[in-house]
Coordinates of all heavy atoms in Angstrom, one line a residue:
N4 N 14.8 -9.7 1.5 CA 15.6 -10.9 1.3 C 15.1 -11.8 0.2 O 14.7 -12.9 0.5 CB 15.7 -11.7 2.7 CG 16.5 -10.9 3.7 OD1 17.5 -10.3 3.4 ND2 16.0 -10.9 4.9
F5 N 15.0 -11.3 -1.0 CA 14.6 -12.1 -2.1 C 15.8 -12.6 -2.9 O 16.8 -12.0 -2.9 CB 13.7 -11.2 -3.1 CG 12.4 -10.8 -2.5 CD1 12.1 -9.5 -2.1 CD2 11.4 -11.8 -2.3 CE1 10.9 -9.1 -1.6 CE2 10.2 -11.4 -1.7 CZ 9.9 -10.1 -1.4
S6 N 15.6 -13.7 -3.5 CA 16.7 -14.3 -4.4 C 16.8 -13.3 -5.6 O 15.9 -12.5 -5.8 CB 16.3 -15.7 -4.8 OG 15.2 -15.7 -5.7
D7 N 17.9 -13.5 -6.3 CA 18.1 -12.7 -7.5 C 17.0 -12.9 -8.5 O 16.5 -12.0 -9.2 CB 19.5 -13.0 -8.1 CG 20.6 -12.4 -7.3 OD1 20.4 -11.6 -6.4 OD2 21.7 -12.9 -7.5
K8 N 16.6 -14.2 -8.6 CA 15.5 -14.5 -9.6 C 14.2 -13.8 -9.2 O 13.5 -13.3 -10.0 CB 15.3 -16.0 -9.6 CG 14.3 -16.5 -10.5 CD 14.2 -18.0 -10.5 CE 13.1 -18.5 -11.4 NZ 13.0 -20.0 -11.4
D9 N 13.8 -13.9 -7.9 CA 12.6 -13.2 -7.4 C 12.7 -11.7 -7.5 O 11.7 -11.1 -7.9 CB 12.3 -13.6 -5.9 CG 11.8 -15.1 -5.8 OD1 11.4 -15.7 -6.8 OD2 11.9 -15.6 -4.7
T10 N 13.9 -11.1 -7.2 CA 14.0 -9.7 -7.4 C 13.8 -9.3 -8.8 O 13.1 -8.3 -9.1 CB 15.5 -9.3 -6.9 OG1 15.6 -9.6 -5.5 CG2 15.7 -7.8 -7.2
D11 N 14.4 -10.0 -9.8 CA 14.2 -9.7 -11.2 C 12.7 -9.8 -11.6 O 12.2 -9.0 -12.3 CB 15.0 -10.7 -12.1 CG 16.5 -10.4 -12.0 OD1 16.9 -9.3 -11.5 OD2 17.3 -11.2 -12.4
R12 N 12.0 -10.9 -11.0 CA 10.6 -11.1 -11.4 C 9.7 -10.0 -10.8 O 8.8 -9.5 -11.5 CB 10.2 -12.4 -10.9 CG 8.7 -12.8 -11.2 CD 8.6 -12.9 -12.7 NE 7.2 -13.1 -13.1 CZ 6.5 -12.5 -14.1 NH1 7.2 -11.7 -14.9 NH2 5.3 -12.7 -14.3
I13 N 10.0 -9.5 -9.6 CA 9.2 -8.4 -9.0 C 9.4 -7.1 -9.8 O 8.4 -6.5 -10.1 CB 9.6 -8.2 -7.5 CG1 9.3 -9.4 -6.7 CG2 9.0 -6.9 -7.0 CD1 9.9 -9.4 -5.3
I14 N 10.6 -6.9 -10.2 CA 10.9 -5.7 -11.0 C 10.2 -5.8 -12.4 O 9.5 -4.8 -12.8 CB 12.4 -5.4 -11.2 CG1 13.0 -5.1 -9.9 CG2 12.7 -4.4 -12.3 CD1 14.5 -5.0 -9.9
E15 N 10.3 -6.9 -13.0 CA 9.6 -7.2 -14.3 C 8.1 -7.0 -14.1 O 7.4 -6.3 -14.9 CB 9.9 -8.6 -14.7 CG 9.3 -8.9 -16.1 CD 9.6 -10.4 -16.5 OE1 10.2 -11.1 -15.7 OE2 9.2 -10.7 -17.6
M16 N 7.5 -7.6 -13.1 CA 6.0 -7.4 -12.9 C 5.6 -6.0 -12.6 O 4.6 -5.5 -13.0 CB 5.6 -8.3 -11.7 CG 5.7 -9.8 -12.0 SD 5.3 -10.8 -10.6 CE 3.5 -10.7 -10.5
A17 N 6.5 -5.3 -11.8 CA 6.2 -3.9 -11.5 C 6.2 -3.0 -12.8 O 5.4 -2.1 -12.9 CB 7.2 -3.4 -10.5
W18 N 7.1 -3.3 -13.7 CA 7.2 -2.5 -15.0 C 6.1 -2.9 -15.9 O 5.7 -2.0 -16.8 CB 8.5 -2.8 -15.7 CG 9.6 -1.8 -15.2 CD1 10.7 -2.1 -14.4 CD2 9.8 -0.4 -15.6 NE1 11.4 -1.0 -14.2 CE2 10.9 0.1 -15.0 CE3 9.0 0.4 -16.4 CZ2 11.4 1.4 -15.1 CZ3 9.5 1.7 -16.6 CH2 10.6 2.2 -16.0
E19 N 5.5 -4.1 -15.9 CA 4.5 -4.5 -16.8 C 3.2 -3.7 -16.5 O 2.7 -3.7 -15.4 CB 4.2 -6.0 -16.7 CG 5.3 -6.9 -17.2 CD 5.1 -8.3 -16.9 OE1 4.2 -8.7 -16.0 OE2 5.8 -9.1 -17.5
D20 N 2.6 -3.1 -17.5 CA 1.4 -2.4 -17.4 C 0.2 -3.3 -17.0 O -0.6 -2.9 -16.2 CB 1.0 -1.7 -18.7 CG 2.0 -0.5 -18.9 OD1 2.6 0.0 -18.0 OD2 2.0 -0.1 -20.1
R21 N 0.2 -4.5 -17.5 CA -0.9 -5.4 -17.3 C -0.9 -6.1 -15.9 O -1.9 -6.7 -15.6 CB -1.0 -6.4 -18.4 CG 0.1 -7.4 -18.4 CD -0.1 -8.5 -19.5 NE 0.9 -9.5 -19.4 CZ 2.1 -9.4 -19.9 NH1 2.5 -8.4 -20.6 NH2 3.0 -10.4 -19.8
T22 N 0.2 -6.0 -15.2 CA 0.3 -6.7 -13.9 C -0.1 -5.8 -12.8 O 0.6 -4.8 -12.5 CB 1.7 -7.3 -13.7 OG1 2.1 -8.1 -14.8 CG2 1.8 -8.1 -12.4
P23 N -1.2 -6.1 -12.1 CA -1.6 -5.2 -11.0 C -0.8 -5.4 -9.7 O -0.2 -6.5 -9.6 CB -3.1 -5.6 -10.7 CG -3.1 -7.1 -11.2 CD -2.2 -7.2 -12.3

Side-chain angles (χ1 to χ4, degrees):
N4 293 320
F5 292 110
S6 68
D7 290 343
K8 182 179 178 183
D9 287 344
T10 297
D11 290 345
R12 184 63 184 138
I13 294 167
I14 292 170
E15 180 182 5
M16 291 174 76
W18 270 105
E19 291 173 343
D20 290 341
R21 70 179 184 270
T22 305

